[in-house]
Amino acid sequence: MPTTIASIRERAKVILEGICRVCSVCDGRRCPSGVPGMGGIGTGAAFRNNIAALAAWQVNMRVLHDRKDQDLSLRLFGKRLAFPIVGAAVAGARVNFQGRVSEEELARAFVLGAVEAGSLAFTGDGPLPELMDAGLKAIKAVGGRGIPVIKPREDMEIMALIRRAEDAGAVAVGIDVDAAGLVNMTRAGQLVEPKTVEQIAKIAGATSLPLILKGIMTVADAEAAVEGGAAAIVVSNHGGRALDHTPGTAAVLPEIAAAVGDKIIVLADGGVRSGVDVLKMLALGARAVLVGRPLAVAAIGGGAVGVRLQLEALADDLAVAMRLTGCGDLNDVSKGLLRPIHN
């Protein structure tokens, strides 16, 4: 098995031929496949918008300061993390990756690799039971240090899966509400639906696990999540894979964080490719950042080792970015670090 990021990416490129080119710049412009696959839905605009929204911010460099040591650690859902970077839910190996890696291998790589790096990972759900089964098995194997994300199914189905998450010892549980129209679910004849505040409140009140709603892109939905008793939200457009032409997450994150950041944990994903991107998301209001496609490539090319190495590389890059912007710890990170690009 390859043991460097470069060799891991080369191996992934071979395995993913025809699915993902493993581009040096992963921005959605040359994706050979959409959904299912690794690309964005429709025109791919939502995927590209994630990249563009992050690129719209520059970083103010500061090197005359006394912040010589960088502490990236934080507590999230009762767990100490070495850094504010976690694995996003990437699943559907049989459909999205044409079975070139098994669902169990994919889930194990994400969850174990994240734990070995000092972080945690989300796992996914989908039309095949093996997706949730693989994620819960991987989470249970590491003592519960993971977060299963459930599709916005009928409420009774969601509750049944939450009970399984509780049994696996998961630290939290999520619902990716942005999957309410997801193509692979509807094609499989499985009901997914938007949820009301009342439905969210009922689900949140029926479990002791923190409930995370992933796929929040407006202040109105963020406020509804707070009203429904969710513990956290993920500002996300599902990696540009749910609705074409949505804005990039970094474009809407500041207004969402300003509206609800003191009432609920705000996480974010979408287009993060470097530690500098992580710093931008944190400065725009996220408590921590989810990373998907880069870790998927690392998992397929190098298993759990690949995921660990990729997370550690992102964390190292973040530490350098913090040092060069005068940040000693995450409390020092603020929007004042950023300068918008005016076209």
Side-chain angles (χ1 to χ4, degrees):
M1 184 70 71
T3 56
T4 67
I5 290 178
S7 61
I8 286 165
R9 288 174 60 82
E10 283 303 312
R11 184 169 186 265
K13 183 182 266 189
V14 172
I15 295 171
L16 292 171
E17 184 178 2
I19 300 171
C20 174
R21 291 190 174 95
V22 190
C23 299
S24 57
V25 178
C26 177
D27 58 9
R29 295 185 181 278
R30 298 180 65 241
C31 284
S33 62
V35 181
M38 288 277 277
I41 197 165
T43 67
F47 179 177
R48 296 192 298 274
N49 288 346
N50 280 339
I51 306 296
L54 278 167
W57 294 95
Q58 296 174 332
V59 182
N60 294 318
M61 186 163 65
R62 284 199 58 216
V63 292
L64 301 180
H65 57 77
D66 62 356
R67 301 300 207 197
K68 301 180 188 299
D69 299 310
Q70 279 62 51
D71 179 5
L72 279 60
S73 67
L74 73 160
R75 290 194 69 81
L76 194 64
F77 307 121
K79 301 294 183 182
R80 182 188 179 279
L81 307 188
F83 42 75
I85 311 165
V86 302
V90 177
R94 188 181 302 189
V95 175
N96 292 314
F97 305 130
Q98 299 177 14
R100 299 180 195 181
V101 61
S102 75
E103 201 65 49
E104 282 201 9
E105 289 171 327
L106 185 64
R108 181 181 181 277
F110 262 75
V111 173
L112 181 58
V115 168
E116 290 180 345
S119 186
L120 54 81
F122 287 68
T123 63
D125 182 19
L128 300 173
E130 66 188 42
L131 277 70
M132 181 59 67
D133 292 347
L136 291 174
K137 181 179 179 180
I139 289 171
K140 190 170 185 177
V142 296
R145 199 175 175 97
I147 302 173
V149 178
I150 302 166
K151 297 296 179 223
R153 302 170 176 274
E154 292 181 283
D155 293 357
M156 292 301 294
E157 286 188 69
I158 290 174
M159 286 312 310
L161 291 172
I162 287 177
R163 295 292 171 251
R164 292 182 62 194
E166 293 169 343
D167 291 343
V171 300
V173 66
I175 304 173
D176 51 348
V177 290
D178 52 359
L182 205 59
V183 173
N184 64 345
M185 295 294 290
T186 55
R187 283 178 179 167
Q190 297 194 29
L191 175 67
V192 286
E193 61 181 13
K195 297 296 181 185
T196 65
V197 170
E198 291 73 23
Q199 286 176 293
I200 295 300
K202 184 177 179 181
I203 293 167
T207 179
S208 60
L209 294 178
L211 179 66
I212 305 165
L213 300 183
K214 187 184 81 66
I216 303 301
M217 288 291 288
T218 63
V219 169
D221 270 2
E223 290 175 338
V226 172
E227 185 180 351
I233 58 174
V234 183
V235 179
S236 171
N237 64 8
H238 211 91
R241 295 168 61 78
L243 177 64
D244 205 358
H245 299 291
T246 54
T249 54
V252 301
L253 174 58
E255 61 200 57
I256 291 173
V260 302
D262 60 342
K263 304 170 187 173
I264 197 169
I265 296 170
V266 177
L267 310 173
D269 69 16
V272 173
R273 302 291 182 264
S274 69
V276 175
D277 288 340
V278 174
L279 183 68
K280 289 180 182 182
M281 286 291 204
L282 299 177
L284 293 172
R287 181 85 62 88
V289 175
L290 283 64
V291 178
R293 286 181 178 93
L295 291 190
V297 169
I300 290 167
V305 172
V307 171
R308 175 179 62 79
L309 289 174
Q310 183 63 74
L311 282 170
E312 289 173 346
L314 289 168
D316 289 345
D317 194 29
L318 173 60
V320 171
M322 288 174 60
R323 174 173 283 205
L324 294 179
T325 52
C327 299
D329 58 36
L330 299 181
N331 292 323
D332 291 332
V333 179
S334 70
K335 197 174 180 182
L337 301 180
L338 304 180
R339 179 183 298 274
I341 296 175
H342 299 291
N343 294 322

